[in-house]
Amino acid sequence: MILNKDAIVKEYLPLVTRLARDLKVNLPHNVEIDDLIQEGVVALLQAVDKYDPRHGATFKTYVYTRIKGAMIDYLRKLDYLPKNVRQDIKKLDNEIAEFYTKHQRLPTYEELAEILGMSVQEVEQIYNELLLKQYVNLDEYLFGVDEESSDPSNYYEIPSSEDVKEKAWKSILYEQLVESINKLDEKEKLILSLRFEHDLSLKEIAAVLGVTESRVSQIIGAILSKLRKMLEGEQKMESSKDGTGNKDTQG
């Protein structure tokens, strides 16, 4: 199959720009958006050569995965994140979910700092890392892939063969996700729909809600934190039913 690279770049450049812009919202000022775009374009061109429809993924899905993966790989090479922050991220994630569910609003940095016994600056930094984690790999975040044993280089690979058991397990998880989403209020459902169903950018959703892009990112993050807690509850119930209550569902 011969593809016109120039035509494909022209068609998918807006996608590259949108991914870079959304990613940039939660990154330090010294990370240039143009560098992210450049990494995305290179990945796009490479994807044209490597795409194989026999693997089952559509070209758009494959390209999206490759572009985002390339941008995240680039950020890893910069090594801008502090070490040993996983536990802090988990603590913050849990507190945001509990606060948001209880008060139906986002906690302020000051409130989180008091709850966690941290400085406001520390909370803000960890909060941005949590939002980035959610953006990087939503499946990993929601369904609790073990970060300690997972190879980050494999997060963005399209599998060449299907595993029947894995497909069945994912089917159960996604059914639980649908049930959890149905328990959200209408505004929360709308925001998730705008983001993941209609594929609106943070900027576009911000225009709809009348807030900043950063605020939209935080709102989506809080809803995802709430969903994750709900899914953890569902998985604990399933484990109790089938006698596998020893499964580690923390995280």
Side-chain angles (χ1 to χ4, degrees):
M1 179 172 61
I2 299 175
L3 298 174
N4 185 325
K5 286 189 177 183
D6 290 338
I8 289 175
V9 170
K10 184 176 181 180
E11 179 181 355
Y12 283 93
L13 188 57
L15 173 63
V16 174
T17 303
R18 182 174 72 81
L19 286 174
R21 184 183 178 93
D22 285 355
L23 196 57
K24 173 62 178 170
V25 168
N26 299 306
L27 291 172
H29 295 297
N30 63 325
V31 179
E32 297 291 340
I33 191 171
D34 288 345
D35 293 334
L36 290 173
I37 291 174
Q38 180 178 331
E39 294 294 325
V41 171
V42 171
L44 172 59
L45 292 173
Q46 291 175 344
V48 175
D49 294 328
K50 295 180 179 180
Y51 175 66
D52 186 343
R54 292 175 297 179
H55 290 172
T58 65
F59 181 70
K60 183 176 181 180
T61 299
Y62 182 77
V63 165
Y64 179 94
T65 304
R66 287 292 178 179
I67 293 171
K68 189 165 78 167
M71 291 180 184
I72 300 304
D73 284 344
Y74 168 72
L75 293 175
R76 284 199 184 98
K77 291 174 184 176
L78 292 181
D79 195 26
Y80 72 93
L81 291 177
K83 305 296 183 182
N84 303 319
V85 295
R86 284 193 178 94
Q87 291 304 315
D88 287 338
I89 290 176
K90 288 180 181 179
K91 287 180 191 175
L92 182 69
D93 193 10
N94 288 331
E95 292 299 339
I96 289 172
E98 291 181 13
F99 189 100
Y100 182 77
T101 301
K102 182 177 180 180
H103 300 283
Q104 289 300 298
R105 68 174 177 84
L106 288 172
T108 64
Y109 289 134
E110 288 76 14
E111 287 170 328
L112 287 172
E114 183 176 351
I115 292 170
L116 295 168
M118 298 179 179
S119 70
V120 172
Q121 185 177 7
E122 287 174 326
V123 167
E124 186 172 357
Q125 186 176 39
I126 296 169
Y127 203 159
N128 284 337
E129 290 164 15
L130 170 61
L131 296 175
L132 183 60
K133 172 185 169 71
Q134 292 171 336
Y135 183 84
V136 168
N137 196 315
L138 189 57
D139 281 359
E140 174 202 336
Y141 170 76
L142 286 176
F143 299 137
V145 172
D146 184 0
E147 295 171 325
E148 300 295 337
S149 61
S150 297
D151 180 359
S153 65
N154 291 329
Y155 290 165
Y156 313 101
E157 295 295 325
I158 301 297
S160 58
S161 62
E162 293 289 343
D163 183 284
V164 176
K165 291 183 179 179
E166 184 178 352
K167 281 188 69 176
W169 176 237
K170 284 185 176 181
S171 177
I172 293 172
L173 290 176
Y174 279 106
E175 285 178 8
Q176 292 175 350
L177 177 60
V178 171
E179 291 177 6
S180 296
I181 290 175
N182 286 334
K183 295 175 184 177
L184 298 174
D185 65 39
E186 292 305 314
K187 184 177 181 181
E188 292 169 341
K189 290 179 187 176
L190 172 62
I191 293 172
L192 289 186
S193 176
L194 292 175
R195 180 60 168 163
F196 299 109
E197 184 178 359
H198 298 286
D199 202 29
L200 266 63
S201 66
L202 295 180
K203 182 178 181 180
E204 291 168 328
I205 298 174
V208 172
L209 300 181
V211 297
T212 64
E213 292 176 59
S214 179
R215 193 63 171 173
V216 170
S217 181
Q218 291 176 352
I219 292 170
I220 293 173
I223 297 172
L224 293 177
S225 294
K226 181 178 177 179
L227 270 180
R228 175 167 171 150
K229 293 285 286 186
M230 293 165 70
L231 284 168
E232 285 178 351
E234 290 287 338
Q235 290 169 23
K236 286 178 182 177
M237 289 177 61
E238 290 296 325
S239 295
S240 298
K241 288 178 183 177
D242 62 20
T244 58
N246 61 338
K247 180 182 177 183
D248 181 14
T249 56
Q250 293 182 357

